[in-house]
Amino acid sequence: DTGVSQNPRHKITKRGQNVTFRCDPISEHNRLYWYRQTLGQGPEFLTYFQNEAQLEKSRLLSDRFSAERPKGSFSTLEIQRTEQGDSAMYLCASSVFRVGSNQPQHFGDGTRLSIL
Amino acid sequence: GQQVMQIPQYQHVQEGEDFTTYCNSSTTLSNIQWYKQRPGGHPVFLIQLVKSGEVKKQKRLTFQFGEAKKNSSLHITATQTTDVGTYFCAGRGGATNKLIFGTGTLLAVQP
């Protein structure tokens, strides 16, 4: 079990630029989640995938955010035209899906985004 | 929308004292999970509660799920410095599969 891997660990960019983050889940996990966390707050749900299908997306997520999981393995989260308010830690988590039970989510170390 | 609140936001205890954090949801939950996040770290799963009134123990940690499945608590007996971190509850409710995390309780333990 190599754990959930996220890269880059840190990203500093100027306002208006596009950024893309990558998440590699635990290999046998078919569910993958993206969260955003700001200082002193709990993780805020953004979206999740089951295999390659994006099943739910937060209404808080603007059109500038898009996520993909093309082959049902790794996922990317892209933010277009970044704004100051996008500065946060972006966390990825994965889990096994079993019908009738909710499994624990395993989190990566996150990508910290800073917008200048 | 669904909200999950935790109290207190912050608690500072002397090592050996007990600690409790309370979690309250605005809606009925199908289940609740608890996570611990060390400073600078990521959330780590502790436990899941599913049944109304359920109580589970992990060594010095006791977790409860309310009868109405709208609240939960985590109690730590005789805190140690290794217990330092932020404790989050996270619940699922309604037709959604997304986890809604609580606001968290930051525990500081003075040796």
XYZ file of all heavy atoms in Angstrom, chain B residues 13-49:
300
model
N -5.581 21.159 27.119
C -5.662 20.368 28.347
C -4.264 20.037 28.836
O -3.288 20.089 28.067
C -6.455 19.058 28.127
C -7.875 19.347 27.692
C -5.753 18.145 27.150
N -4.190 19.699 30.115
C -2.946 19.173 30.672
C -2.909 17.672 30.371
O -3.949 17.000 30.367
C -2.915 19.368 32.191
C -2.878 20.803 32.640
C -1.505 21.411 32.476
O -0.491 20.717 32.507
N -1.444 22.727 32.316
N -1.743 17.173 30.117
C -1.608 15.744 29.866
C -2.226 14.960 31.023
O -1.993 15.274 32.189
C -0.127 15.371 29.721
C 0.099 13.969 29.178
C 1.558 13.703 28.859
O 2.429 14.420 29.386
O 1.819 12.785 28.070
N -3.022 13.956 30.673
C -3.698 13.171 31.685
C -5.157 13.548 31.890
O -5.936 12.757 32.440
N -5.529 14.752 31.475
C -6.931 15.172 31.569
C -7.733 14.549 30.430
O -7.190 14.125 29.417
C -7.044 16.697 31.502
C -6.469 17.394 32.724
C -6.642 18.910 32.655
O -6.775 19.453 31.539
O -6.634 19.539 33.730
N -9.042 14.518 30.623
C -9.925 13.996 29.593
C -10.315 15.099 28.611
O -10.209 16.300 28.911
C -11.196 13.413 30.232
C -10.920 12.160 31.040
O -9.759 11.685 31.049
O -11.869 11.653 31.666
N -10.809 14.674 27.449
C -11.198 15.611 26.385
C -12.418 15.063 25.665
O -12.520 13.852 25.432
C -10.035 15.769 25.405
C -10.422 16.281 24.034
C -10.703 17.631 23.843
C -10.501 15.431 22.945
C -11.044 18.112 22.589
C -10.836 15.898 21.689
C -11.121 17.241 21.502
N -13.346 15.956 25.332
C -14.521 15.559 24.553
C -14.808 16.604 23.483
O -14.755 17.799 23.759
C -15.768 15.416 25.447
O -15.501 14.482 26.498
C -16.942 14.893 24.624
N -15.112 16.141 22.284
C -15.584 17.013 21.218
C -16.942 16.528 20.759
O -17.203 15.325 20.693
C -14.592 17.085 20.034
O -15.202 17.809 18.955
C -14.183 15.720 19.540
N -17.813 17.497 20.456
C -19.193 17.198 20.097
C -19.461 17.627 18.660
O -19.021 18.685 18.228
C -20.151 17.934 21.035
C -19.991 17.547 22.477
C -19.126 18.265 23.311
C -20.683 16.463 23.004
C -18.965 17.902 24.644
C -20.524 16.101 24.342
C -19.660 16.824 25.147
O -19.496 16.468 26.469
N -20.227 16.817 17.973
C -20.516 17.028 16.563
C -22.029 17.050 16.367
O -22.725 16.147 16.836
C -19.880 15.865 15.779
S -20.253 15.803 14.040
N -22.539 18.087 15.705
C -23.976 18.207 15.490
C -24.282 18.500 14.038
O -23.723 19.429 13.453
C -24.554 19.336 16.359
C -24.506 18.992 17.825
O -25.289 18.204 18.317
N -23.547 19.573 18.532
N -25.198 17.704 13.479
C -25.584 17.884 12.086
C -26.960 18.529 11.995
O -27.827 18.295 12.829
C -25.610 16.524 11.380
O -26.198 16.634 10.104
N -27.141 19.315 10.944
C -28.447 19.953 10.731
C -29.462 18.955 10.169
O -30.663 19.211 10.186
C -28.300 21.142 9.786
O -27.749 20.728 8.549
N -28.976 17.834 9.667
C -29.868 16.817 9.107
C -29.484 15.431 9.641
O -28.393 15.246 10.167
C -29.795 16.789 7.567
O -28.429 16.527 7.189
C -30.217 18.108 6.955
N -30.373 14.488 9.505
C -30.104 13.115 9.930
C -29.023 12.499 9.046
O -29.024 12.684 7.829
C -31.391 12.270 9.839
O -32.390 12.880 10.649
C -31.133 10.855 10.325
N -28.111 11.790 9.688
C -26.986 11.197 8.975
C -27.190 9.700 8.798
O -27.730 9.027 9.673
C -25.697 11.451 9.751
C -25.353 12.918 10.007
C -24.182 13.033 10.974
C -25.036 13.628 8.703
N -26.728 9.176 7.676
C -26.786 7.725 7.488
C -25.644 7.060 8.256
O -25.779 5.942 8.758
C -26.707 7.368 6.007
O -25.550 7.934 5.431
N -24.522 7.758 8.331
C -23.410 7.258 9.128
C -22.486 8.432 9.423
O -22.636 9.509 8.833
C -22.640 6.142 8.413
C -22.105 6.576 7.066
O -21.204 7.401 6.984
N -22.661 6.039 6.008
N -21.569 8.235 10.329
C -20.630 9.292 10.657
C -19.238 8.685 10.788
O -19.081 7.559 11.277
C -21.042 10.049 11.925
C -20.272 11.355 12.036
C -20.850 9.202 13.183
C -20.959 12.396 12.877
N -18.262 9.402 10.299
C -16.866 8.989 10.413
C -16.113 10.048 11.208
O -16.488 11.211 11.224
C -16.235 8.831 9.017
C -16.884 7.738 8.179
C -16.249 7.599 6.793
O -15.442 8.399 6.371
N -16.627 6.534 6.082
N -15.049 9.614 11.860
C -14.170 10.534 12.583
C -12.763 10.430 11.995
O -12.276 9.329 11.694
C -14.135 10.199 14.072
C -15.347 10.667 14.809
C -16.512 9.982 15.007
C -15.527 11.932 15.450
N -17.405 10.737 15.731
C -16.824 11.949 16.021
C -14.719 13.067 15.614
C -17.331 13.037 16.731
C -15.216 14.146 16.322
C -16.506 14.131 16.876
N -12.132 11.587 11.831
C -10.776 11.687 11.307
C -9.938 12.539 12.256
O -10.448 13.440 12.915
C -10.775 12.349 9.929
C -11.376 11.496 8.829
C -12.758 11.395 8.682
C -10.567 10.791 7.940
C -13.321 10.612 7.684
C -11.118 10.003 6.934
C -12.493 9.923 6.814
O -13.043 9.139 5.824
N -8.624 12.255 12.254
C -7.678 13.068 13.015
C -6.672 13.646 12.030
O -6.162 12.933 11.156
C -6.944 12.217 14.053
C -5.881 12.982 14.824
C -5.133 12.068 15.775
C -4.030 12.818 16.510
N -3.258 11.918 17.404
N -6.381 14.932 12.195
C -5.407 15.598 11.338
C -4.341 16.227 12.225
O -4.636 17.156 12.974
C -6.082 16.648 10.452
C -5.162 17.283 9.416
C -5.914 18.171 8.433
O -7.001 18.657 8.727
N -5.352 18.394 7.253
N -3.125 15.698 12.122
C -2.022 16.274 12.889
C -1.595 17.587 12.226
O -1.803 17.777 11.012
C -0.844 15.308 12.944
C -1.091 14.111 13.825
C 0.212 13.548 14.352
N -0.036 12.730 15.529
C -0.093 11.405 15.509
N 0.101 10.758 14.379
N -0.319 10.729 16.608
N -0.997 18.500 12.966
C -0.536 19.755 12.380
C 0.376 19.498 11.181
O 1.335 18.728 11.270
C 0.237 20.415 13.539
C -0.390 19.834 14.770
C -0.754 18.426 14.431
N 0.037 20.092 10.034
C 0.829 19.896 8.828
C 0.563 18.597 8.109
O 1.187 18.309 7.084
N -0.366 17.792 8.629
C -0.637 16.486 8.028
C -1.979 16.440 7.325
O -2.644 17.458 7.150
N -2.363 15.241 6.926
C -3.637 15.071 6.251
C -4.586 14.304 7.175
O -4.142 13.651 8.118
C -3.444 14.314 4.929
C -2.783 12.981 5.076
N -1.433 12.794 4.893
C -3.282 11.771 5.410
C -1.134 11.538 5.092
N -2.229 10.881 5.418
N -5.894 14.380 6.898
C -6.837 13.645 7.749
C -6.593 12.143 7.684
O -6.369 11.595 6.598
C -8.199 14.017 7.154
C -7.971 15.293 6.417
C -6.574 15.194 5.883
N -6.671 11.502 8.837
C -6.497 10.058 8.930
C -7.748 9.476 9.566
O -8.193 9.936 10.622
C -5.254 9.690 9.759
C -5.163 8.183 9.953
C -3.993 10.211 9.087
N -8.310 8.468 8.921
C -9.547 7.848 9.392
C -9.349 7.190 10.747
O -8.359 6.487 10.977
C -9.992 6.802 8.363
C -11.191 5.991 8.773
C -12.469 6.511 8.633
C -11.039 4.715 9.280
C -13.577 5.757 8.998
C -12.133 3.955 9.644
C -13.400 4.475 9.499
N -10.326 7.423 11.649
C -10.287 6.782 12.959
C -11.338 5.677 13.058
O -11.041 4.541 13.427
C -10.542 7.810 14.067
C -9.480 8.900 14.247
C -9.919 9.894 15.318
C -8.130 8.284 14.604
N -12.607 6.035 12.730
C -13.683 5.074 12.965
C -14.934 5.491 12.216
O -15.059 6.657 11.817
C -13.987 4.974 14.474
C -14.556 3.602 14.844
C -14.916 6.096 14.923
C -14.390 3.274 16.305
N -15.856 4.565 12.021
C -17.158 4.862 11.433
C -18.242 4.300 12.349
O -18.129 3.184 12.858
C -17.287 4.238 10.038
C -18.679 4.431 9.425
C -18.740 4.041 7.979
O -18.501 4.862 7.107
N -19.080 2.790 7.707
N -19.296 5.093 12.537
C -20.466 4.669 13.305
C -21.664 4.679 12.365
O -21.820 5.607 11.567
C -20.719 5.614 14.483
C -19.542 5.790 15.451
C -19.820 6.942 16.411
C -19.302 4.509 16.224
